[in-house]
Amino acid sequence: MDENRLDGNAAGGLLGEIFPFEMTTAQVTCTSCGSLWRVGQTMVYGHDMGTIVRCASCDNTLIRVGRGQGRYLLDMRGVRYLQVEEA
Amino acid sequence: MAETRTPRRKLVWRIGEVIETSPETPRTKSLFLEVPGWEGHKAGQHVDVRLTAEDGYQAQRSYSIASAPEDSRLALVVERLEDGEVSPYLTDELHAGDRLELRGPIGGWFTWEAREGGPLLLVAGGSGIAPLMAMIRHRTAARSEAPTSLLYSSRSREDAIYAEELDRLAAEDGALEVTHTLTRYQPPGWTGYSRRIDREMLEEIAPSPEQRPLAFVCGPTPLVEAVATVLVELGHEPARVKTERFGPTGG
C-alpha cells in the first residue's frame, strides 16, 4: 500500500479507540521544533505497519501507533506534552 | 476554547441500516443511513466505515458526513475509485435494507457550529464538498445568517456533487454565495471559472483577512495545500484556516 498522507483528523478513529476523549482537538508539543498543534492539524501517514502522526512544520514523528495481537503499541517520544482541556 | 474537549464514551462500532442510495454524479453515490444509538454529530465530522469479508479480512475507510446535525438520516457521499477496496462495494453492491458497520462521529477540529458565526469561506475540490455541505445544510437549518462563500472545484458540471441543491440554496439566501470552477470540461456558454483554484480566484472570492473569515478547505491533498498556502500568504490567520485532505485514500 502506498504511503498515504492525510490530516490528523484521519487518525481520530484509531486514537479514539485508545483515548477516552476527542484526540483531534487535544494539543501536542513537538519535541523537535517546539510547535504546538491540535492533533487534527498534524500530518498522518497510514502504512500497513501502523499509523504515523508527524509534525506539520518539521516532519518529526510525534506519535506512532501499531496494533496487532490484541494490543496497541504507542510510541509518543516525539511529543513533549499532550495537552487535554478540562471539560 | 473550552468547548474543544469533548469527553465521550469509547468509540464503538455500530450497525447502520441503509435507508436509501442515490446517484449524485457519474462517479459518486449518496448513502442515507439510520444508525441506532447514534448520538448526533457536528458539521464537518466523519465516520469510519468497516467492511468484513467472509474470511474475516477487514478494510476500513473514513467518510465525511454530508448531512446536517438537524437531519434525521446520516448522509455519506462515496466516490467510486476503480482500484478501491471499499468504495466499489459501497457504490455498486450496497442497497436499501442492507447493513453497514460504522463508528463515529469522529473529529473535533474540522467542525463548524452556527453559534460560531462567520464569515465562512468554504473551499472544496471534488468529493471534498461533503463536510462543507454538512456545514451549509446546518447553517440553513439553524437559520444562521453568517455570510458564506463556497468555492467549489469540479472537473465538469456533471461531476459537481449537490450542484442543484447548492444553486437553489444560494438563490434563496443572499448571504450564501456559490462559485464553481470547472477545470476540465465546461458546458457551452459557461462564463464561470475554468481553471484550478489559484491566488487570483481566492482574492476575488474570499472575504478580506480583516473580516477574519473562518476558512474550511477540503479536497485532494495538492488542492488543499495550495489553497491553504495562498490563504496564509494573503494574510489570513493560519489558525483560522482549517484543512482536511483526501487520499490518495486507496478507496
Side-chain angles (χ1 to χ4, degrees), chain A residues 1-7 9-25 38 40-43 67 72 84-87, chain B residues 1-8 10-11 13 45-46 48 60 62 103 105-110 221 225 238-239 243-250:
Chain A
M1 182 172 125
D2 287 340
E3 188 168 81
N4 218 345
R5 178 161 48 139
L6 297 166
D7 296 85
N9 297 313
L14 175 62
L15 294 171
E17 294 174 18
I18 304 165
F19 293 93
F21 41 83
E22 175 57 62
M23 271 293 279
T24 60
T25 50
R38 302 228 176 240
Q41 292 174 284
T42 61
M43 295 294 133
R67 64 180 302 185
Y72 301 96
V84 181
E85 274 139 49
E86 287 181 37
Chain B
M1 299 181 81
E3 84 281 9
T4 52
R5 177 169 174 200
T6 315
R8 54 160 169 64
K10 196 162 153 56
L11 205 50
W13 289 99
Q45 289 185 301
H46 69 266
D48 289 342
Q60 186 182 315
S62 298
R103 66 177 180 188
I106 298 164
W109 171 247
F110 193 86
T221 297
E225 293 186 350
T243 60
E244 182 141 283
R245 294 161 176 80
F246 273 15
T249 61

Side-chain angles (χ1 to χ4, degrees), chain A:
Chain A
M1 182 172 125
D2 287 340
E3 188 168 81
N4 218 345
R5 178 161 48 139
L6 297 166
D7 296 85
N9 297 313
L14 175 62
L15 294 171
E17 294 174 18
I18 304 165
F19 293 93
F21 41 83
E22 175 57 62
M23 271 293 279
T24 60
T25 50
Q27 290 178 294
V28 289
T29 312
C30 175
T31 52
S32 172
C33 72
S35 306
L36 180 68
W37 300 103
R38 302 228 176 240
V39 171
Q41 292 174 284
T42 61
M43 295 294 133
V44 166
Y45 298 80
H47 301 262
D48 289 341
M49 298 292 289
T51 298
I52 296 179
V53 179
R54 289 183 181 275
C55 175
S57 73
C58 78
D59 219 34
N60 178 40
T61 299
L62 298 169
I63 304 173
R64 281 195 304 135
V65 188
R67 64 180 302 185
Q69 298 173 335
R71 89 280 185 261
Y72 301 96
L73 201 58
L74 265 86
D75 175 349
M76 296 190 57
R77 79 182 88 171
V79 176
R80 181 167 297 137
Y81 298 110
L82 173 66
Q83 187 174 314
V84 181
E85 274 139 49
E86 287 181 37

Side-chain angles (χ1 to χ4, degrees), chain B residues 163-238:
Chain B
E164 284 176 19
E165 182 178 348
L166 286 168
D167 291 347
R168 180 173 54 75
L169 289 172
E172 290 168 356
D173 183 343
L176 174 64
E177 197 176 327
V178 174
T179 307
H180 292 276
T181 181
L182 306 178
T183 56
R184 205 166 299 174
Y185 305 103
Q186 300 82 30
W190 175 253
T191 56
Y193 292 121
S194 54
R195 59 182 198 268
R196 287 184 179 193
I197 295 174
D198 57 19
R199 184 187 185 99
E200 189 191 341
M201 209 181 286
L202 287 166
E203 280 181 311
E204 287 169 6
I205 301 295
S208 72
E210 291 70 37
Q211 293 173 271
R212 302 189 72 235
L214 259 174
F216 292 92
V217 187
C218 186
T221 297
L223 176 145
V224 168
E225 293 186 350
V227 169
T229 301
V230 168
L231 288 174
V232 172
E233 284 172 5
L234 291 174
H236 294 277
E237 292 168 51

